Amino acid sequence: MNLAYVNGQYLPRLDAAVSIEDRGYQFADGVYEVIWLKNGTLIDEAAHFKRLKRSLKELSIAMPTTERALSIITHELIRRNHAKQGDYMLYIQITRGTARRNHLFPKATRPSLVMTLTRFTPPTEAEINKGVKIITHPDIRWGRRDVKSIALLPNILARQKAGEAGAREAMLVNGDTVTEGSTANIFIVKRGVLITHPADNQILNGVTRLAILALAAKLQIKIEERAFTTKEVAAADEIFISSTTAGVLPVSQLDAKKITVGKIALKLYAAYQDYVSAQC
Ligand code: PDD
């Protein structure tokens, strides 16, 4: 049976619930993380928990437990779900808690903590070699995209449009600038240089993004962390996306334009696979 953790209890997932007055439900007043659980190991665990703490701090939401307790709960959820083999997404959501609806922060409310484990299949090598389609879509999100907030309405609308177009991801654009995808970061390669948007308030600083940048530096690939335009993407030699669930995923079509899956993307894919395996 799949068990979820909800505010102190491990419950059958279908019975697990929070109050209708949870501020996550009413205001999207909360943050989340998605971590890859591979054969019992949480990949880049420390980086995900560091980002979770940062997101909470930026929104003045308290940690619902100590860090040590959070880690114990996580590992207990994995144990109770017999999830030590295979690939799962650990989803962690923390909201400001439950209180009568009022825009002001409630004074004496404990944050809500929910965790679930869901099986998933990382892209296969055949999918990596084939690449995926992405579409261009306006970025209509708020000004603090660096916070992993559960307010994902613009993201889901863009992702839905991508799905309707038979695409895996929507490349979000602000005016002329490409920020990231609706659920992933975006990299382009031009003349051997790896280019991605800098980690400012315009994008979520992906944990996978950070790992890729470190691996690229080790492989002596030239890196430019800077804003780039839709024109540059159209003229790029390679495009790929990155996230916890996609890993390094090459793009083979942008809107109507076909793109060849490139050498640098495949090199970084292989390096990332080794990097992940080394943690397990
Ligand atoms: N998405 N940008 C956005 C907007 C994201 O939602 C994500 C992750 C990323 C990549 O971050 P990371 O490499 O840390 O997964 C970038 C997760 C997987 C999700 O919402 O399901």
Side-chain angles (χ1 to χ4, degrees):
M1 186 194 304
N2 189 286
L3 295 175
Y5 175 88
V6 185
N7 292 326
Q9 289 182 293
Y10 299 89
L11 298 169
R13 188 166 171 146
L14 293 176
D15 300 332
V18 293
S19 162
I20 58 162
E21 292 203 298
D22 188 280
R23 288 179 65 95
Y25 181 61
Q26 297 206 325
F27 296 119
D29 186 4
V31 302
Y32 75 106
E33 276 297 327
V34 177
I35 312 178
W36 180 7
L37 176 69
K38 182 181 162 71
N39 296 334
T41 300
L42 290 166
I43 304 303
D44 282 343
E45 178 176 3
H48 281 282
F49 281 106
K50 184 175 166 201
R51 186 173 64 187
L52 179 64
K53 270 190 355 197
R54 179 181 183 277
S55 294
L56 288 169
K57 185 164 165 276
E58 293 301 310
L59 301 187
S60 304
I61 298 176
M63 276 283 280
T65 66
T66 61
E67 265 180 75
R68 169 121 183 85
L70 197 59
S71 170
I72 290 169
I73 294 164
T74 306
H75 290 280
E76 183 61 12
L77 185 69
I78 295 167
R79 194 187 68 77
R80 291 195 191 207
N81 278 298
H82 311 288
K84 295 230 164 107
Q85 284 305 317
D87 298 296
Y88 293 81
M89 286 181 278
L90 170 69
Y91 178 77
I92 306 174
Q93 176 171 309
I94 299 172
T95 71
R96 202 179 303 277
T98 297
R100 183 173 296 178
R101 189 176 184 281
N102 181 339
H103 288 66
L104 291 171
F105 293 175
K107 285 215 170 69
T109 300
R110 288 214 357 226
S112 298
L113 172 60
V114 169
M115 286 192 207
T116 56
L117 271 177
T118 308
R119 267 191 181 281
F120 85 108
T121 311
T124 60
E125 228 169 300
E127 286 168 321
I128 296 295
N129 289 322
K130 184 163 177 271
V132 293
K133 177 181 171 184
I134 64 172
I135 60 160
T136 307
H137 194 274
D139 192 343
I140 59 164
R141 296 175 300 161
W142 71 325
R144 290 302 309 275
R145 300 157 187 165
D146 54 312
V147 173
K148 200 161 170 63
S149 138
I150 58 172
L152 291 174
L153 193 51
N155 302 62
I156 63 162
L157 292 176
R159 180 67 187 83
Q160 177 62 22
K161 272 277 186 288
E164 286 168 9
R168 163 74 186 236
E169 183 54 288
M171 178 180 84
L172 302 178
V173 296
N174 230 348
D176 250 3
T177 301
V178 175
T179 50
E180 59 181 329
S182 64
T183 68
N185 292 113
I186 297 191
F187 291 77
I188 60 170
V189 178
K190 186 70 185 175
R191 287 188 208 94
V193 181
L194 183 65
I195 306 164
T196 197
H197 198 287
D200 55 17
N201 62 352
Q202 298 296 308
I203 66 156
L204 182 77
N205 191 4
V207 169
T208 321
R209 172 190 180 278
L210 286 170
I212 290 165
L213 289 174
L215 291 169
K218 260 199 200 154
L219 292 167
Q220 298 190 322
I221 296 168
K222 204 168 162 233
I223 299 164
E224 286 179 12
E225 283 184 79
R226 61 167 176 84
F228 55 93
T229 63
T230 46
K231 249 192 173 164
E232 286 184 271
V233 180
D237 299 327
E238 300 183 31
I239 308 173
F240 67 89
I241 63 172
S242 76
S243 79
T244 295
T245 46
V248 176
L249 185 55
V251 171
S252 54
Q253 189 176 341
L254 167 64
D255 299 318
K257 186 178 186 280
K258 303 269 190 213
I259 301 142
T260 312
V261 168
K263 273 198 205 116
I264 291 189
L266 293 178
K267 206 171 173 181
L268 287 168
Y269 166 76
Y272 186 69
Q273 293 294 102
D274 291 346
Y275 167 80
V276 166
S277 298
Q279 293 181 47
C280 296

